[in-house]
Amino acid sequence: MFNMEKTSEKRTIVSEERYKEIQDSVKNIKDRLSSLAEKVKEEVVTLSKIGRRRLDIISLKKQRDDFYTSLGKKTHELIKEKVISVPELATLSAKIDELSEKISSLEREVGDMARKVQESRGKKEEAAGRSRLKPDKKPRKKPLGRREGDEEE
């Protein structure tokens, strides 16, 4: 199968023909790998461009949505000021006003509840003979987040 001779020095001598075959095979492998690397590089560049374009699209859509929002707010203001009158838009504007009122009502409710909790805490602390702020309290010696037995780094 192979045309090789063994010498007394235990080296294998390959015939010149076989040597050229091996060289050609190595060159062929090298060329194919180089071609494959070039194709991979081209695909990576293309995919990178696609990714960049997709980010551009997302950014432009966001900008467009912001303009739609601005347009809607301006239109709502013009409807409320009776500068424009479009029945379909008036219905939507009324729905926006309704939602705004619900939001305001819930915000007032949350504020009232928070005040009651604070007042309740204040009364409990007064009853216990403590104030909420303790200016005479000594500063912590250990940083927050450490427990006894934790080693310093």
Side-chain angles (χ1 to χ4, degrees):
M1 183 172 190
F2 295 107
N3 189 8
M4 293 187 255
E5 298 176 17
K6 293 226 176 191
T7 64
S8 60
E9 298 174 355
K10 294 189 179 182
R11 291 192 332 189
T12 305
I13 299 175
V14 179
S15 70
E16 194 172 313
E17 184 181 307
R18 181 67 182 140
Y19 181 74
K20 287 193 184 235
E21 286 176 17
I22 293 171
Q23 270 188 323
D24 289 342
S25 293
V26 169
K27 185 180 182 317
N28 187 13
I29 291 170
K30 181 182 170 188
D31 291 343
R32 285 193 285 171
L33 286 174
S34 180
S35 173
L36 180 63
E38 187 61 33
K39 287 179 185 177
V40 167
K41 176 185 167 191
E42 289 171 9
E43 192 163 334
V44 166
V45 168
T46 301
L47 291 173
S48 174
K49 287 179 182 179
I50 290 170
R52 250 184 272 132
R53 292 294 183 255
R54 284 183 176 162
L55 288 174
D56 290 344
I57 290 167
I58 290 168
S59 175
L60 291 170
K61 283 182 176 181
K62 172 73 172 106
Q63 288 177 22
R64 181 186 63 190
D65 290 346
D66 290 345
F67 280 110
Y68 275 137
T69 300
S70 295
L71 176 65
K73 286 180 180 181
K74 185 63 178 173
T75 303
H76 179 69
E77 289 172 11
L78 293 173
I79 290 171
K80 286 182 73 83
E81 296 169 2
K82 299 187 192 274
V83 173
I84 61 172
S85 177
V86 179
E88 296 87 17
L89 297 180
T91 304
L92 294 173
S93 182
K95 186 67 177 173
I96 290 171
D97 289 339
E98 182 183 316
L99 292 171
S100 294
E101 182 53 42
K102 285 181 181 179
I103 291 168
S104 294
S105 175
L106 289 173
E107 287 175 338
R108 284 190 300 273
E109 187 179 327
V110 167
D112 291 344
M113 292 169 76
R115 271 189 295 286
K116 287 179 183 177
V117 168
Q118 286 178 341
E119 289 171 3
S120 173
R121 284 183 184 165
K123 289 178 183 177
K124 287 179 184 175
E125 288 175 356
E126 286 176 19
R130 296 181 264 139
S131 75
R132 292 187 75 196
L133 300 174
K134 300 178 183 173
D136 58 330
K137 186 176 178 182
K138 296 179 184 175
R140 295 180 62 95
K141 292 184 180 178
K142 290 186 239 175
L144 291 175
R146 293 212 175 139
R147 296 178 292 217
E148 282 189 41
D150 286 351
E151 292 182 29
E152 289 196 14
E153 296 174 17

